[in-house]
Amino acid sequence: MSATLQSVDANAEERELTDGFHLVINALKLNGINTIYGVPGIPITDFGRMAQAEGIRVISFRHEQNAGYAASIAGFLTKKPGICLTVSAPGFLNGLTALAHATTNCFPMILISGSSEREIVDLQQGDYEEMDQLAIAKPLCKAAFRVLHATDIGIGVARAIRAAVSGRPGGVYLDLPAKLFGQVMDAEAGQKSLVKVIDAAPAQIPAPSAVKRALDVLKSAKRPLIILGKGAAYAQADDAIRTLVEKTGIPFLPMSMGKGLLPDTHPQCAGAARSTVLKDADVVMLIGARLNWLLSHGKGKTWGEAPKKFIQIDIEPKEMDSNVEIAAPLVGDIGSCVSALLDGLAGNWPAAPADWIKTVTSKRDENVAKMAPRLMNNNSPMDYHGALGVLRTIVKERPDAILVNEGANALDLTRGIIDMYQPRKRLDVGTWGIMGIGMGYAIAATIETGKPVLAIEGDSAFGFSGMEVETICRYALPVCIVIFNNDGIYRGTDVNTSGTKDPATTVFVKGARYDKMIEAFGGVGVNATSPDELKRAVNAAMDSGKPTLINAVLDPGAGSESGRIGNLNPQSKLKKK
Ligand SMILES: Cc1ncc(C[n+]2csc(CCOP(=O)(O)OP(=O)(O)O)c2C)c(N)n1
Ligand SMILES: [Mg+2]
């Protein structure tokens, strides 16, 4: 055979073969997954390159935890699993925190990690980055799978996708050993082995008897309340939820990431009368909100003396009676449940009791009026209220921007002060109150939605993901970061009482200039010492869309221990020394 013919033969053979790399890429693409968040390295460097070459957007981070948080919030925003891609052992472990976070928060996410040689790992013979990743991931996620043969890639990816998004969404781990990527198989058979997941999150229709029970309980209420959780925001049943709230006329209380489902300025919003409504309501309908610590477990002082009945809408049957008796459990997906309730209302729903509405409205108006003057101060250095006063107006003027928020005081006060106007615009620390979500969330939020992001960050909170400002600059993302710099955790005024030179445990370098960090990567840095300066800088950033970091200089004494949750700090019966 001539040399030319030989090479034609080789080409023909190449055309007919595919490999693990391409099967994984094609399996993801077939299922509409078009973005991967990760950090390259052995054994997934080439996979990332090839995925990018094949049209998947691959966003490379500086630390896997941030890539993982990005993937988790991408899942929340899109209802498709966000993908985080990592190397083995250490990269996998860095991504694992975010996977557990996704599961806890009910966000669909898949952590795909390369892993080392099975034969060596299982005999513990000391492979490069040796770790039994599948076993470690299992207790921290909804499901965990490993694919050993190229022929099973289609099924493996399909199982991971369905597990992540169906029922209550959560994190899924997919273990892909290094050897798998290089495995070769017939291209046509490979193509046929891929699985398109049909109806990945099937509707779960509530039972008619459960719907009737819920409506009966609701009808009996004298002081009803609706609580909207982030599950309600995730459901993307925005119109149905709004109609239900407005048709019934019942006051609603949004949980942090439920804010904006209906505007916080809606006449029925009871956000500014939270303690009153929780204490005094007699029937509470939870929509995609759990009775966990964020709602004081549905009992105790917060909930007052008056007996209460709960109606709970959740896709997870096990959620019912988690903390208190649920009088009317409504199990199903939120869209289907709310629609069924709407059908059951059938036009003749009585108006919400007028005296209750009046109580809630006047409490709310009183609290709003009390707050108003504090938001208008132009103090320098700033306090939280002065800074948030201007940011509140900016968000009002730019309601489709996404607000990312973390910190302690920086979180609690922002949540309380900044009104949201659209669903899924407020992204924050979530169920665990976790620091470190900031930059990952900001990056994914703009990548997934095309909208600009305003990230309001405590100086401590920011530090957990601060290196990703390079990522933000590298991809030229429209992200404006405002650091509420009070020189430390909760406050910058603590002193070390031991007599040594070390600083106190909660304080940072005084007068730190976080704005200089972004300048190192070509972004815009601004040092803002008054609300006026802050306003100018944020507006300029939002107008330009340029990566910007504003160091907002706050009074180090502003802020209180642990923000609003200081009561959770353990106290000893012994006196503090
Ligand atoms: C992963 C993680 N580590 C530690 C904590 C404990 N923690 C709660 S808030 C906080 C930082 C608060 O300081 P800052 O972000 O500066 O907000 P401030 O109250 O000063 O505005 C820390 C470290 C946490 N919630 N999550
Ligand atoms: Mg701080």
Side-chain angles (χ1 to χ4, degrees), residues 10-78:
N11 279 342
E13 200 165 83
E14 241 173 56
R15 265 202 305 277
E16 285 163 16
L17 292 177
T18 187
D19 58 20
F21 288 109
H22 290 91
L23 286 166
V24 177
I25 292 165
N26 291 340
L28 293 172
K29 281 171 69 176
L30 179 67
N31 286 290
I33 287 171
N34 44 27
T35 310
I36 292 174
Y37 303 91
V39 177
I42 296 171
I44 48 95
T45 314
D46 271 346
F47 174 75
R49 288 191 185 112
M50 290 179 197
Q52 186 175 52
E54 299 282 337
I56 291 183
R57 192 148 191 216
V58 182
I59 308 293
S60 280
F61 280 69
R62 305 300 295 261
H63 190 291
E64 291 89 352
Q65 191 175 100
N66 304 319
Y69 288 142
S72 75
I73 208 65
F76 170 75
L77 289 167
T78 64

Side-chain angles (χ1 to χ4, degrees), residues 152-214:
D152 292 331
I153 286 173
I155 281 294
V157 170
R159 296 212 74 188
I161 292 172
R162 192 179 285 283
V165 297
S166 61
R168 170 177 280 179
V172 172
Y173 175 59
L174 187 60
D175 191 272
L176 303 182
K179 268 192 197 162
L180 178 78
F181 291 104
Q183 276 181 32
V184 171
M185 70 181 283
D186 176 74
E188 207 184 313
Q191 194 56 35
K192 278 193 190 140
S193 73
L194 300 184
V195 176
K196 187 165 165 60
V197 182
I198 308 297
D199 194 13
Q204 287 182 225
I205 315 287
S209 58
V211 175
K212 183 172 178 311
R213 189 187 296 116

Side-chain angles (χ1 to χ4, degrees), residues 384 406-410 432-435 457-462 464 484 486 488-491 508 560:
Y384 288 92
E406 60 178 334
N409 296 279
W432 269 342
I434 203 170
M435 300 298 113
E457 301 271 314
D459 50 341
S460 165
F462 171 72
F464 287 74
F484 276 2
N486 62 350
I489 299 175
Y490 314 138
R491 267 189 309 261
F508 297 155
S560 52

Side-chain angles (χ1 to χ4, degrees), residues 195-486:
V195 176
K196 187 165 165 60
V197 182
I198 308 297
D199 194 13
Q204 287 182 225
I205 315 287
S209 58
V211 175
K212 183 172 178 311
R213 189 187 296 116
L215 286 170
D216 287 347
V217 173
L218 199 59
K219 240 182 226 163
S220 73
K222 295 200 170 52
R223 297 179 304 282
L225 173 69
I226 292 175
I227 297 184
L228 301 170
K230 67 175 173 299
Y234 175 81
Q236 298 194 17
D238 308 337
D239 290 345
I241 290 171
R242 187 178 185 130
T243 308
L244 180 72
V245 170
E246 291 184 341
K247 267 203 170 158
T248 58
I250 297 173
F252 69 91
L253 180 68
M255 299 301 287
S256 203
M257 281 174 61
K259 273 164 76 84
L261 256 171
L262 286 88
D264 285 330
T265 49
H266 191 283
Q268 286 168 253
C269 183
R274 187 179 194 269
S275 45
T276 301
V277 289
L278 292 184
K279 239 185 230 120
D280 295 342
D282 66 345
V283 170
V284 179
M285 180 156 75
L286 301 155
I287 308 185
R290 293 172 286 182
L291 282 176
N292 56 21
W293 72 278
L294 288 157
L295 281 172
S296 309
H297 306 282
K299 54 196 170 190
K301 227 168 80 191
T302 314
W303 289 89
E305 301 293 317
K308 281 184 215 303
K309 284 187 177 167
F310 288 98
I311 303 165
Q312 182 160 27
I313 304 182
D314 202 290
I315 200 161
E316 174 58 64
K318 289 204 299 281
E319 188 59 42
M320 305 299 156
D321 310 320
S322 64
N323 287 271
V324 294
E325 179 185 289
I326 301 300
L330 196 51
V331 174
D333 71 276
I334 285 168
S336 300
C337 290
V338 171
S339 299
L341 289 173
L342 277 174
D343 291 346
L345 293 180
N348 58 348
W349 192 259
D355 51 342
W356 170 237
I357 302 299
K358 206 172 143 225
T359 310
V360 176
T361 315
S362 56
K363 189 73 208 170
R364 184 194 64 197
D365 294 348
E366 184 190 317
N367 285 343
V368 169
K370 228 187 270 168
M371 173 94 82
R374 299 184 67 189
L375 300 178
M376 285 158 62
N377 85 66
N378 199 33
N379 294 346
S380 174
M382 293 179 264
D383 59 25
Y384 288 92
H385 288 81
L388 285 166
V390 300
L391 295 175
R392 178 184 199 245
T393 307
I394 289 170
V395 170
K396 186 177 182 185
E397 290 164 355
R398 303 170 190 270
D400 68 343
I402 293 182
L403 179 67
V404 170
N405 187 203
E406 60 178 334
N409 296 279
L411 174 89
D412 292 337
L413 291 163
T414 302
R415 185 203 305 112
I417 291 169
I418 296 194
D419 291 326
M420 303 307 298
Y421 300 87
Q422 295 177 13
R424 294 172 296 283
K425 296 297 186 186
R426 186 186 152 82
L427 309 175
D428 67 26
V429 300
T431 312
W432 269 342
I434 203 170
M435 300 298 113
I437 50 92
M439 298 305 102
Y441 273 24
I443 290 167
T446 186
I447 298 256
E448 297 293 337
T449 67
K451 304 290 184 201
V453 170
L454 174 63
I456 302 180
E457 301 271 314
D459 50 341
S460 165
F462 171 72
F464 287 74
S465 67
M467 192 63 213
E468 303 297 344
V469 293
E470 188 276 330
T471 312
I472 290 168
C473 291
R474 181 163 24 108
Y475 290 92
L477 299 174
V479 174
C480 172
I481 306 153
V482 175
I483 313 264
F484 276 2
N485 187 358
N486 62 350

